[in-house]
Amino acid sequence: MKTDSNSLKSVERSFRVLEFVRDNEPVSLTRISKELDASKSTIHRHLSTLVSIGYLIRKDGVYRVSCEFLSYANRIHLRDPSYPIINRKVQELADESEELVQFTTDERGRLVYLFKQTGRNGLFSRSDARTFRPLHSTAGGKAILSTWPREKVEAYIDRNGLETITERTISSASTLFERLEEVRERGYATNREETVEGLGAVSVPIKDPNGEMIGALGISGPINRVLNGDSEYPQILLDAKKELELTIRLL
């Protein structure tokens, strides 16, 4: 059976339209047409279809994504029985540390933010499920990479490279492997201004009862607070890791 290439291209175009609306809402037909370099009639057909099936809404001449996507987010948050427990721990740690606490996982070599909670003194972050960062540039990503065998890390480097975000981002494979060995020895990973100048973070990997990686639990904030010599956050996270993994084993 032959694949209908025109149908596949049409589906791809619909997703491009949907993603553009998501990232730029509220947005007009004219702007979408211009930015995606397609005729208004073509874009209008895709928009009309997406509105009719409930994925977009049109009001006052502009388009926004609908609440239909909340059901997808909820499904992701519920698909692993450990997620509600992890989410509660994120909230507890935010109250205790008064910093920004996040739980992340990996998808296609990028760090994905699943849960976050900002404590009383925590930094505001726009990171959410739409935010993707290279694994090697973050504390959570390095915590995750530390659980992988060397061959898998090498494949990650070959596929994604080592993108430099700041002058402190790891940019060589040898340095990355050295840092990952340090993470395994002490049990936690750090981010010292490797994604944003002035930002520090600490993160620990969380595993399921079979030893498979679920994600990484981390605390972020000004580097002078999070990674000073007297910081209690590494130990707080190591204790939280033990408690979480024990609770998950009892599910």
Side-chain angles (χ1 to χ4, degrees), residues 138-164:
T138 66
K142 282 178 280 187
I144 291 169
L145 287 172
S146 73
T147 69
W148 292 4
R150 185 181 181 92
E151 295 77 15
K152 188 173 180 179
V153 178
E154 289 174 341
Y156 162 81
I157 296 171
D158 291 341
R159 183 173 59 252
N160 301 285
L162 294 174
E163 177 185 352
T164 300

Side-chain angles (χ1 to χ4, degrees), residues 74-130:
N74 288 336
R75 290 299 302 172
I76 291 172
H77 285 174
L78 293 173
R79 70 185 177 192
D80 190 313
S82 67
Y83 281 175
I85 297 168
I86 292 170
N87 192 23
R88 285 198 298 271
K89 178 55 68 175
V90 167
Q91 296 175 33
E92 290 174 11
L93 287 177
D95 290 339
E96 179 183 355
S97 67
E98 300 184 346
E99 300 284 4
L100 172 64
V101 180
Q102 299 174 115
F103 181 78
T104 55
T105 190
D106 76 288
E107 186 173 282
R108 293 179 296 175
R110 297 281 176 169
L111 195 72
V112 183
Y113 295 81
L114 286 183
F115 305 110
K116 74 172 183 178
Q117 188 70 33
T118 305
R120 186 174 64 178
N121 297 321
L123 295 176
F124 172 75
S125 171
R126 294 184 181 276
S127 299
D128 57 24
R130 298 179 300 173

